[in-house]
Every structure is written in C-alpha cells, then in structure tokens.
Amino acid sequence: MRAVRIDEFGGPEVLVAGEMPDPVAGPGEVLVRVEAAGVNRADALLRSGSYHRAGRPPLVPGLEGAGTVVAVGAGVTGLEPGQQVMALGAGLYAELAAVRAERVAPLPGGVGLVEAAALPVAWLTAWYCLRHLAGLGEGETVVVHAAASGVGSAAVQVAAGLGARVIAVAGSADKAAWAAALGAHDVVDASAADQEKEVARLTGGRGAEVVLDAVGGETFALSLRQAAYSGRVIALANVALRPSTVDTRDFYPKNATIRGFQLTNLMEHGYDPRADLREIAARVAAGDYRVPVEAVVPLERAHEAHERLERRDNRGKIVLSVR
C-alpha cells in the first residue's frame, strides 16, 4: 500500500509517501480502505516530535479518515465489508488502516467521504467539549478561540445549534467575518489590542459562561479572564507550544471550572465515540451543519498540507485524498 512515513522528526519535508506492507485486521479491528484523511494540528506536532504521544519513528501519521471496510477481525459485529465508514485511530495517511472497531462508525447517506474524513477529530472534539464537558445551554454565551480552525469552525456551529450566543475569536478580520458566516453572533479579531476588554464589552462586563481554548499558551490565561462567574473554561490543546502563566485570582473568586480534554486519552479511558459520531454525521446529512473543507491535497503532497496548516491560512479543514 501507499502511505506517508516519518523516518525522523522534522519539518514538513520529512513526510514522504512510499510503499509499505499492507496491514491486516486483528481481533476486534476493522481494515479500512482509506479514501480521505483529515489533517490535524496533532499530525504536525507528531511530525515535529512535539506531540506528547509522539512515540518514535518510523511512524505513519493520521488520526482520522473515511473510506470503505475491506475486512473485519474476529469478534467484530455491526460492520461488514463494503460499508462506508469514518474512523479514528493512527496511521490513516495510508491506503489501508487497521482500526479498533469501537472507533469506526458507518456513514449515513448524504455525507461524502471528504466531509466524513473531517469529522472524527475536530467535530467530535467540539461536540464533546461543548455538550458533555461544558454542558452549554440555550441563552448562554461561549467564546470560541481559533474560530476559523477545524475545531473552531465546528464549535461555532455546534454552539449556535444549542441556542448559545457565540463570540468567535479568529486570527484576522477576514477569518472573523468567515466565522460570522458560520453562525457566530459576534466576532473578535485575535490581533486586536485587548481581547479581554472586547469580550467584556460584548457581555456587558459579565464575561462568557463557557470559553473554549484550542490555542493554549497565553490564550489559556486570557480564557480564564474572559470567563463569567461560575464559568467553565475548556482547555483542549496547546498548539502555541508555550507554557501558560496564570494568576489564580483570575478564576477562583469566580468559582470557575477548568476542564481539560484530549480525545485519544478519553477513548483509552473508556469513552466510546460511536454514538456521538453517528449523531454528528446525521446532522451533517440533514443539513444542520456545514463541514468547511478548504483544500483537498493528494496523499503524495502531504508536506504541502502541513505547510499550509502551519502558515495558519486555512479556514476549516485540510483533507488528504488517498485515491
């Protein structure tokens, strides 16, 4: 099979496509012929050696994808060859991937494979953080940092669908306007002089009931200051790759709650993502959500996809075509 391999950590240039042995479906696994694979910040961190779960080369990156079931291993029920599915796993920058059955969900009609490849990481993250961790409710206000990213663009729509008021923070005025078109009620340019004051102004000085931080570093400290009394701050990434220095007075007098989220660890501690994935896909099929895919890049040009991602000029997702 063709696959993208990392033989040493480094820049996008270390991503090289070549031939590798075909995997097989072991007990409890599903062999998927991958047709599209989502590109995520975690993939770039893995490639550079900065990801906390990186392991050691040689590695095949790719946490999510969509394609067709080729074979199922012993003990697998509910999936069969020929079904179109989306999958969460590892090594999905490849023509074939063996994935644990509990991380594979069938696709409903009306959801294409490119769209489906963009759902398992970003959309599941936004969905779980807002619905399960934050318990975001109708009439509440949520600040979404990096609102033009894959997670951010999903979070804007999930939050709006829950009846919340969405304040989208994005890295430029153009990206902020794009987030508004997805359903954000207010937008803030991340390069503005004082985000904290702007969020305070938009909320009448109250702050936001929920703040979703997909950036980390200094943004996490800012998120604490943007939270309202009894607010909930969800920290789900540190793509800034910098530590956060916080003043505990920015959250404990508010009785605020800080929750962390990491999808792979969550699944390894018992979370079964299939029900949530099926509901997300059903809502996409029904037209409730739009899955923005800015670019579809051939597998052999995975390095270009990473270059684009690291320039931060994408809006929504970048997807690799594995056909």
Side-chain angles (χ1 to χ4, degrees):
M1 69 169 184
R2 288 181 305 139
V4 171
R5 178 169 165 147
I6 299 170
D7 288 321
E8 60 179 345
F9 294 131
E13 70 280 357
V14 305
L15 297 173
V16 178
E19 291 296 320
M20 294 186 67
D22 291 355
V24 297
E29 291 184 335
V30 177
L31 185 64
V32 178
R33 183 171 298 282
V34 182
E35 297 197 39
V39 177
N40 291 284
R41 289 280 173 193
D43 301 335
L45 295 176
L46 173 73
R47 186 211 71 230
S48 68
S50 302
Y51 191 46
H52 70 289
R53 302 177 59 90
R56 298 178 65 84
L59 298 166
V60 176
L63 298 173
E64 64 181 346
T68 304
V69 174
V70 175
V72 299
V76 174
T77 60
L79 293 166
E80 58 187 27
Q83 281 183 295
Q84 289 193 332
V85 296
M86 52 186 158
L88 273 163
L92 284 152
Y93 284 17
E95 289 182 313
L96 293 167
V99 185
R100 290 166 56 174
E102 66 270 22
R103 300 182 184 181
V104 177
L107 286 179
V111 179
L113 291 172
V114 168
E115 280 184 307
L119 296 178
V121 172
W123 280 82
L124 187 60
T125 293
W127 177 276
Y128 192 96
C129 286
L130 294 175
R131 294 176 66 98
H132 298 312
L133 285 186
L136 182 66
E138 185 175 0
E140 291 191 309
T141 296
V142 56
V143 171
V144 177
H145 288 282
S149 67
V151 173
S153 59
V156 167
Q157 296 181 70
V158 172
L162 289 169
R165 177 189 177 190
V166 182
I167 299 175
V169 182
S172 68
D174 286 346
K175 285 185 175 182
W178 182 81
L182 289 178
H185 301 83
D186 299 286
V187 295
V188 175
D189 185 344
S191 63
D194 198 328
Q195 286 187 50
E196 185 180 351
K197 287 184 179 179
E198 183 63 7
V199 169
R201 182 187 71 80
L202 290 169
T203 60
R206 186 185 73 255
E209 284 80 12
V210 175
V211 184
L212 190 67
D213 174 20
V215 181
E218 295 174 2
T219 299
F220 177 67
L222 174 64
S223 296
L224 297 178
R225 298 194 298 272
Q226 291 173 331
Y229 178 82
S230 196
R232 292 91 78 197
V233 178
I234 311 297
L236 60 96
N238 187 0
V239 298
L241 297 179
R242 291 189 297 272
S244 303
T245 301
V246 302
D247 186 335
T248 56
R249 292 171 295 186
D250 286 335
F251 67 91
Y252 80 76
K254 300 177 181 179
N255 287 337
T257 301
I258 301 170
R259 298 292 301 269
F261 174 85
Q262 207 282 328
L263 180 58
T264 304
N265 280 342
L266 184 68
M267 292 189 295
E268 290 179 354
H269 285 80
Y271 168 59
D272 185 335
R274 288 174 291 186
D276 285 330
L277 282 173
R278 285 194 295 267
E279 187 168 355
I280 293 167
R283 295 193 180 206
V284 172
D288 297 335
Y289 299 145
R290 178 165 67 89
V291 183
V293 175
E294 181 170 272
V296 180
V297 179
L299 183 70
E300 288 79 6
R301 287 161 47 195
H303 62 286
E304 295 180 12
H306 278 226
E307 289 168 357
R308 187 166 189 164
L309 188 73
E310 292 185 325
R311 288 197 303 268
R312 301 180 187 272
D313 61 3
N314 61 294
R315 301 174 183 181
K317 293 283 288 189
I318 300 171
V319 172
L320 297 179
S321 172
V322 193
R323 296 181 179 178

